[in-house]
Structure formats: structure tokens, C-alpha cells
Amino acid sequence: MAAVNASAVATAISAVASSAPCAQRRASRAAVSGSALFNPLRVAAARPVRVSRSGPAVVRAATEETAGTIQGFIDDVKAKWDGVEDKGTLALYAGGSVTAVWLSATVVNAVNSIPVVPNVLELVGTVYTGWFVYRYLLFKSSRRELAELIEDIKARITGST
């Protein structure tokens, strides 16, 4: 009997396994999932970057302007924070606001998972939008009425008469 070479046997087994249909599907899936089609970072990195002659000067000017705007915003926030007398209450309101947003998102997701409700709510929203357009936006007199209503609400909120 002839001696069997282990590397030749391994090569033969891998050749037979790679010719099997399931191995070919796995290989093609791996090739597709690793392609630029499914990897946005690879697509972005592969694109050439074009820089015009005036590009850096414009970018620097915008960056300096943005930095000044950001610094002004930070200064305004610091001044307002220093002007707050009861910081604990403000923190409590902020925490309550975050909790309310989280709770409302949870409720919306729960309602959205009920099969018929999202479609019914979409229908209600569409009908209400149509009614609002007909009632307040379609005719000139009703647009004037809406503007007066908005001004009245703003006056009540700000306290001016």
C-alpha cells in the first residue's frame, strides 16, 4: 500500500467541500457582505476627495465664524446659569422633562405595536389635516382669522394685551 500524504488529503477535502452548493452560497454571501455595497465606510473611503483652490480659505473663515458663534453660545449659557437662583428646581424640571419624553416614546412604541391602531391614527391625522386646511388655509378670510387667533394666543402667553 502507498503512503498517504496528509496535506494532499486536506487539499482534496477542501476542494470537495468548496464545490458543495452550501459552501458556494456561504462564500458568495461573505463576498457580498464585505463589499462596498453594504459598508458605507468603505464607500466613503474609496471616493476621491476634490479640493478647489478657494476651498481651504472658505472653510477656515466658516470655522472661525462657527467657533465665535459657539463661544458666544457658551457664554450666554454660563450667564443664564449664573442668573438662576434655584438650580435644584431647574435640575428637577430638566430630569422630569427627560423622563416625560422617555415615557411618551415608550407609550408611542407600545401603541404602534398594536396591529390596527397605527393605520387608524394615520387616517385620523390625514382627515384632521384636511379639515384644518379647509377651515383655516383655503380662504383668505379664514387665513386672516387664523392669524388673529395666533396673535391672541401670543398676547395671552406673553401677558401683553
Side-chain angles (χ1 to χ4, degrees), residues 9-68:
V9 171
T11 305
I13 291 174
S14 66
V16 170
S18 66
S19 67
C22 63
Q24 290 172 348
R25 282 194 305 269
R26 269 195 309 260
S28 67
R29 260 189 252 129
V32 168
S33 66
S35 71
L37 179 66
F38 292 92
N39 189 348
L41 297 176
R42 184 175 289 163
V43 171
R47 292 186 185 138
V49 177
R50 294 186 185 123
V51 179
S52 65
R53 292 184 187 259
S54 64
V58 173
V59 171
R60 274 190 228 119
T63 304
E64 290 170 3
E65 182 180 315
T66 304

Side-chain angles (χ1 to χ4, degrees), residues 12 30 34 36 50 55 59 82 92 94 112 139 141 143 154-155:
R50 294 186 185 123
V59 171
D82 291 338
L92 187 64
N112 201 23
F139 304 109
S141 61
R143 286 193 298 267
K154 285 192 322 190

